[in-house]
Every structure is written in C-alpha cells, then in structure tokens.
Amino acid sequence: MAEPAPLIGRPSAPRCQAEVEVTHGVGLHARPSVAFTRLAKSFPCTIEVAVDGSGDWLNGKSIVKIIGARIRRGTRMRIRAEGARAEEAVAALSGLVRRNFDEDRKPGRADGRPA
C-alpha cells in the first residue's frame, strides 16, 4: 500500500488505504451501511470510500452517502483514512467488510457460547 504524497504546506498526518471486495449477499443495504458508518464514526480520523475505481471519494461516516452509493456484491471498495488512528480505522473497516458485516454470526454471547 503506497502512501500518497503529503499535501503542500500541510503537516503530514498519518494516512492509510486499503481495497476490499464486498462479498455480502446483497451488498451494503441498511444494516451493513449502519454497521460500517457506526464503526467509522468511532475513529477520530477522516474516512472516505471510493467504489469500483471511481475517482469520487465519499464520506465514510455518512449513512446517506454510503447507502446512496448503492454498493452491491462484487463491488471493489477503496477505504482511506487520514489522521489519528488511520491505520487502525482502515483495518477495522476492511475487516468488517470481509466478515460480511458480522451478519453471518449466529446469535449468542460475546464469548461464542449459546445464549
């Protein structure tokens, strides 16, 4: 993952970027979009998402932007973050997408035992 060049005249802030394929059956419908934006909002850095090679970067903390992007199964998402905890944010969000937004998990306790 190559880091982009720092902006001229601006101190360099930590940056990170990753690409992940959406494998969830119907893509980012309401529940996955809420899970994604809720997790994104838990980080203090700026988080943006681009879809299928688009040059348009969307606010990854905006439920309206994420649902409006109509991200479907098979879509390649680029996730980038800049600022404090950027690397941690990108890793967490990429992991959430790879885990199908945790919708495949069976209900139960946090320790994995049945409720």
Side-chain angles (χ1 to χ4, degrees):
M1 217 174 330
E3 282 196 36
L7 300 174
I8 297 173
R10 184 172 165 196
S12 181
R15 299 176 187 200
C16 189
Q17 181 172 318
E19 184 171 297
V20 63
E21 182 176 346
V22 176
T23 57
H24 186 275
V26 293
L28 269 75
H29 61 79
R31 275 191 313 270
S33 294
V34 167
F36 186 92
T37 56
R38 184 175 291 152
L39 181 57
K41 288 177 185 178
S42 73
F43 293 96
C45 53
T46 301
I47 298 171
E48 296 177 309
V49 173
V51 181
D52 276 339
S54 165
D56 297 331
W57 288 93
L58 309 171
N59 180 351
K61 296 181 179 184
S62 167
I63 188 69
V64 172
K65 296 289 186 184
I66 298 300
I67 287 179
R70 299 178 188 259
I71 301 168
R72 303 289 180 232
R73 182 181 187 155
T75 299
R76 303 280 313 162
M77 284 178 63
R78 285 184 293 154
I79 304 167
R80 74 178 179 190
E82 181 177 358
R85 298 176 59 199
E87 189 172 332
E88 182 183 352
V90 170
L93 290 165
S94 297
L96 182 67
V97 174
R98 286 187 187 101
R99 292 189 316 270
N100 287 326
F101 307 93
D102 293 332
E103 288 195 347
D104 295 339
R105 292 177 60 185
K106 293 190 166 97
R109 298 176 10 170
D111 62 7
R113 296 189 332 218

